[in-house]
Amino acid sequence: LFGSLKAHSNGLEALSFYNQAGTKVRVLTIEGKQVKSFHFNTKEELINHNFDLSDLTSGIYFISMKNKYGLGTKKLILK
């Protein structure tokens, strides 16, 4: 599902994957607790969204994306 994921201290700069309407993106802690959730009705909303993660503390997180193509997860380390 994911093509590329670039993380910076203030969040995700680029998140590219099969852009699809009806996509849900979740940010989870290493313990599996959901700390952020985004739902996109159109692929334009998804492409143009600024994923601001600046309010999260340093640590390991997982970015989970689900759409009609399936479910994909990537590890994200915030410093």
Side-chain angles (χ1 to χ4, degrees):
L1 285 176
F2 286 96
S4 67
L5 174 66
K6 295 181 182 178
H8 297 275
S9 60
N10 63 341
L12 302 177
E13 180 182 273
L15 185 58
S16 64
F17 34 76
Y18 296 119
N19 299 319
Q20 180 66 36
T23 296
K24 183 173 185 179
V25 178
R26 300 185 315 146
V27 181
L28 309 166
T29 66
I30 196 162
E31 295 86 14
K33 179 183 175 189
Q34 180 176 298
V35 292
K36 290 201 177 262
S37 178
F38 309 92
H39 186 268
F40 304 96
N41 294 313
T42 67
K43 66 180 183 178
E44 289 77 19
E45 287 177 3
L46 176 60
I47 293 167
N48 295 317
H49 186 78
N50 176 24
F51 291 89
D52 181 12
L53 304 179
S54 61
D55 58 331
L56 298 179
T57 60
S58 298
I60 298 173
Y61 296 88
F62 293 96
I63 309 298
S64 173
M65 186 192 74
K66 183 177 180 181
N67 63 25
K68 77 175 193 175
Y69 293 107
L71 175 67
T73 304
K74 285 261 187 166
K75 182 167 70 171
L76 172 68
I77 300 173
L78 292 180
K79 297 182 179 185

